[in-house]
Amino acid sequence: MIKVFLVEDEYAIREGIKKSVNWEANGYTLVGEAGDGEMAFPKIVKARPDILITDIRMPFMDGLELSRLVKKEIPNIKIVVLSGYDDFNYAKQAISIGVEEYILKPVSGENLLTELGKIADAINVERQDELAKDKYLRDMEEIRTLAKQKFIHDMIDGKLSMQESLEQGRELGIDITAAYYSIVLFQAFPKNKAGVPAEEEFDVAEYSGVSEEIYSRIRETVSKSPNVYLYEQVGDVLCFLEKSDSLNDMNQNTQKGIDIIKEIMSTKSDWIYFISIGKPVERIRDVNSSYRDASKRFAERYMLDESFIFYGENGNSNVLDIGGIDIKMVSQKTIFHFLRNGTLVEIDDLVSEYFSSLGEEAMESRLFCQYVLMEALISGMAFLDSMNVSREKAASILGELSDPVRFVDSVDKAKDYITRILKVLIEYRNQVSDKKYTEIIDKAREFIKAQYKNDEMSLQTVASYVNVSSNHFSAIFRKETGETFIDYLTKVRMDNAKDLLTCTSMKTSEIGFEVGYKDPHYFSYIFKKTIGMSPKEYRRMKKDS
């Protein structure tokens, strides 16, 4: 129903208008009336009508002044002005205000209904457009999420100036102004990944429903906080940018977030998790410093078999006892664990913490140094074996690194060896991953092309089909194709719609349904949004060409 409000100072005329129209039968609801503008305005603001019918000449506040006020308060309202004066100035002022119709009195119920019908049609179109726009924005949420993540990533990397951060944040609905900032890192994985399961086959596209559940619950919690923004790094690391107006608030909010994660993980006994909190900084440009602080300690997680929280400089006294770590555990597990989950940018931090855990005195022993490098090589070979790489190919991949003895002359050479073997093997892992991801994307594309007519197709549907988490699938799809999933799906649907418009006489609504849109209005909206013209205009253009 369309809501109408009537303002007329002459009681007899107002009653006549009310009685001359069968409001309900014609799709209208009369939500209020008043005898002058002053009395009408607060009632109009409260009732929020779709159409205002008002006389021009009234005591206290006339119809034009009322129209100006109402338009400011309710920009989309449609106004019909009634006047007994055929005065060009009144009409000109009414047009400048944005009045829809200027009708001379007396007006019959039939004529009024005719004018209201035109306005009602326009309102219904606007409502459909608004619904289509809302649905479009929901469908495009993947793009917006990726844009937000890129923004947070660029801030963390120090790529944005203060002005750029403010401007881009404003465009994305992110207010990053605060007195303090801090970075928090999080990662979780099954406990059995902390060991060296040489017999276990390594799958670069491994997907866990439990992992998706954990990360989804954390994302959902973060989305409710106005002070935390999330960026998902390669390797299933969640990076939180926290902001606050005081250090006390920062510490309280951080602890609250940790408690939430602990609660989520308390039901996952077969999983371990790690949290690292960077030092608070006062400038946006220094956010990268907080990130580096959190990352350095975060590298120590590859040495641990149990969940651990690394606190920042001003945090609690939860400090990892590097000296108390079993050297055998470090040498046997750390390298393999890192090769499975680590990234190239983490290598320097890992190597630094790895050698710190061994101790300078131990590393001065050539025999001990040789032992450590041999363990690194064995772990590397075990990792390649888990990827089903033959011994011959493994030796080819490692090259001179297959003989670690030449690198035991000094601690620096030993560090160089560990760094190089990690880099070589992670680069190889990434090459295999990229090939696997190409296969996943090809499979997803084929599925989309076969199932695009299904109006319920979504990012989650396709991700589930290729056995990858939805967030990971979104990231690799964009990386591999250069476009988002929703962009690709829309393109497939629009290409098929254009073919049907050109080669068949099907109705627009039928074509929309045929390519996956139940709502014909939404199909037309998407078509015009992406192609630049309506389906009817496109069909006409093709016929004329």
Side-chain angles (χ1 to χ4, degrees):
M1 300 291 278
I2 291 177
K3 298 187 291 184
V4 179
F5 196 100
L6 176 61
V7 185
E8 167 62 60
D9 64 320
E10 295 187 38
Y11 177 79
I13 295 177
R14 189 165 75 244
E15 285 297 307
I17 292 174
K18 286 166 57 180
K19 293 177 180 179
S20 67
V21 174
N22 189 338
W23 302 98
E24 298 289 335
N26 288 280
Y28 304 98
T29 301
L30 196 59
V31 294
E33 60 179 291
D36 65 68
E38 281 190 5
M39 293 176 61
F41 183 70
K43 294 180 180 180
I44 292 170
V45 171
K46 184 176 181 180
R48 313 295 289 188
D50 301 300
I51 300 174
L52 167 63
I53 302 173
T54 180
D55 188 14
I56 277 191
R57 289 290 185 98
M58 295 183 296
F60 306 109
M61 180 190 292
D62 65 28
L64 293 180
E65 186 178 354
L66 173 63
S67 296
R68 289 190 188 94
L69 290 175
V70 170
K71 270 289 184 181
K72 286 181 180 179
E73 187 69 29
I74 313 173
N76 292 330
I77 195 171
K78 311 300 180 187
I79 301 176
V80 176
V81 168
L82 305 177
S83 176
Y85 303 87
D86 189 3
D87 190 320
F88 177 71
N89 285 329
Y90 279 131
K92 189 165 67 173
Q93 288 183 64
I95 292 170
S96 69
I97 293 169
V99 168
E100 299 296 318
E101 295 291 341
Y102 184 86
I103 304 174
L104 293 177
K105 294 179 182 178
V107 58
S108 67
E110 183 180 350
N111 288 339
L112 181 59
L113 267 179
T114 299
E115 299 304 326
L116 289 178
K118 297 176 186 176
I119 298 172
D121 289 342
I123 290 172
N124 286 326
V125 169
E126 287 180 4
R127 286 178 175 176
Q128 287 182 317
D129 285 344
E130 196 61 34
L131 289 173
K133 182 180 178 181
D134 289 343
K135 180 169 173 37
Y136 176 78
L137 291 175
R138 288 195 301 273
D139 286 347
M140 296 296 119
E141 187 59 31
E142 177 198 4
I143 297 174
R144 191 168 178 80
T145 298
L146 289 170
K148 286 182 177 180
Q149 291 205 11
K150 183 179 184 302
F151 168 65
I152 300 301
H153 173 261
D154 289 346
M155 277 187 61
I156 292 170
D157 275 2
K159 295 179 181 179
L160 302 178
S161 66
M162 175 70 171
Q163 183 176 350
E164 289 171 331
S165 296
L166 291 171
E167 289 176 355
Q168 290 190 28
R170 194 177 299 115
E171 290 175 1
L172 293 169
I174 298 176
D175 177 14
I176 49 87
T177 56
Y180 293 93
Y181 305 90
S182 178
I183 295 295
V184 177
L185 302 176
F186 168 84
Q187 187 177 31
F189 36 74
K191 280 187 177 180
N192 61 3
K193 286 190 179 180
V196 190
E199 75 285 353
E200 181 184 338
E201 183 177 346
F202 176 67
D203 183 0
V204 294
E206 187 173 4
Y207 168 64
S208 165
V210 176
S211 173
E212 178 69 0
E213 178 194 346
I214 291 170
Y215 282 69
S216 293
R217 289 180 64 186
I218 293 174
R219 287 187 213 104
E220 183 181 359
T221 300
V222 170
S223 67
K224 297 175 183 177
S225 172
N227 299 312
V228 184
Y229 302 107
L230 176 63
Y231 161 61
E232 299 188 39
Q233 293 181 319
V234 175
D236 291 331
V237 174
L238 299 185
C239 179
F240 306 95
L241 169 62
E242 297 194 1
K243 64 170 191 171
S244 68
D245 293 326
S246 70
L247 282 174
N248 185 54
D249 287 346
M250 176 73 74
N251 291 333
Q252 287 183 0
N253 292 338
T254 299
Q255 190 57 50
K256 183 179 178 181
I258 290 172
D259 291 342
I260 290 172
I261 290 176
K262 284 182 175 179
E263 183 180 350
I264 291 172
M265 297 305 300
S266 66
T267 61
K268 311 299 177 186
S269 58
D270 293 335
W271 283 66
I272 59 175
Y273 66 93
F274 300 97
I275 301 172
S276 185
I277 301 140
K279 64 183 179 182
V281 296
E282 297 181 59
R283 301 175 190 274
I284 290 176
R285 71 182 69 176
D286 293 332
V287 167
N288 181 256
S289 175
S290 179
Y291 174 75
R292 290 297 309 136
D293 181 56
S295 295
K296 185 175 182 181
R297 284 186 301 278
F298 203 47
E300 296 172 10
R301 71 193 185 278
Y302 297 109
M303 305 178 192
L304 301 174
D305 282 334
E306 297 297 333
S307 300
F308 200 86
I309 300 173
F310 306 94
Y311 285 94
E313 291 181 354
N314 299 327
N316 300 332
S317 57
N318 186 356
V319 180
L320 177 62
D321 180 13
I322 289 289
I325 293 179
D326 181 2
I327 178 59
K328 199 168 185 180
M329 182 275 283
V330 173
S331 58
Q332 289 185 351
K333 295 182 178 179
T334 301
I335 299 300
F336 189 93
H337 190 190
F338 183 79
L339 289 172
R340 292 200 64 152
N341 301 280
T343 62
L344 288 170
V345 295
E346 292 183 295
I347 291 177
D348 288 342
D349 286 336
L350 184 278
V351 172
S352 175
E353 298 305 316
Y354 181 79
F355 278 86
S356 293
S357 69
L358 301 177
E360 292 184 11
E361 288 187 17
M363 289 308 299
E364 288 176 0
S365 165
R366 182 182 176 87
L367 184 61
F368 183 78
C369 191
Q370 182 176 346
Y371 164 76
V372 170
L373 299 194
M374 283 300 297
E375 288 294 328
L377 175 62
I378 290 170
S379 295
M381 294 293 288
F383 178 72
L384 290 173
D385 186 55
S386 74
M387 296 180 70
N388 291 324
V389 175
S390 67
R391 291 284 170 155
E392 294 75 15
K393 186 174 182 180
S396 174
I397 293 170
L398 292 170
E400 64 172 345
L401 297 174
S402 297
D403 179 17
V405 176
R406 69 178 69 182
F407 295 91
V408 299
D409 292 348
S410 67
V411 174
D412 287 341
K413 281 191 175 182
K415 286 183 177 179
D416 179 63
Y417 176 82
I418 300 291
T419 299
R420 287 174 62 186
I421 199 170
L422 289 175
K423 184 177 180 182
V424 167
L425 294 178
I426 287 180
E427 285 178 344
Y428 177 76
R429 182 200 71 188
N430 290 347
Q431 288 175 7
V432 176
S433 297
D434 289 343
K435 182 179 178 181
K436 184 69 175 179
Y437 291 152
T438 300
E439 294 173 358
I440 289 173
I441 298 308
D442 288 344
K443 184 178 179 182
R445 280 173 159 168
E446 291 303 314
F447 180 75
I448 292 168
K449 289 177 180 177
Q451 300 291 328
Y452 71 89
K453 296 181 181 181
N454 182 357
D455 69 298
E456 295 183 356
M457 177 176 282
S458 65
L459 177 70
Q460 289 74 20
T461 304
V462 183
S464 177
Y465 176 75
V466 297
N467 198 35
V468 176
S469 72
S470 56
N471 280 275
H472 190 47
F473 175 72
S474 175
I476 64 174
F477 192 93
R478 186 171 190 175
K479 179 184 175 184
E480 293 291 323
T481 67
E483 58 188 337
T484 65
F485 159 78
I486 193 65
D487 281 337
Y488 182 78
L489 174 60
T490 302
K491 182 175 180 294
V492 169
R493 286 173 166 171
M494 292 301 106
D495 286 347
N496 281 276
K498 286 190 290 185
D499 287 343
L500 292 173
L501 285 166
T502 304
C503 304
T504 74
S505 59
M506 294 172 65
K507 295 179 181 178
T508 299
S509 58
E510 294 173 337
I511 291 175
F513 190 84
E514 183 68 17
V515 298
Y517 297 99
K518 280 186 176 179
D519 182 353
H521 188 83
Y522 185 58
F523 165 64
S524 296
Y525 179 89
I526 292 292
F527 192 95
K528 188 169 185 178
K529 189 85 175 174
T530 55
I531 309 302
M533 63 183 78
S534 70
K536 290 181 180 179
E537 290 171 336
Y538 181 85
R539 174 173 270 168
R540 191 180 307 117
M541 179 195 72
K542 284 296 181 179
K543 284 184 176 179
D544 294 341
S545 62

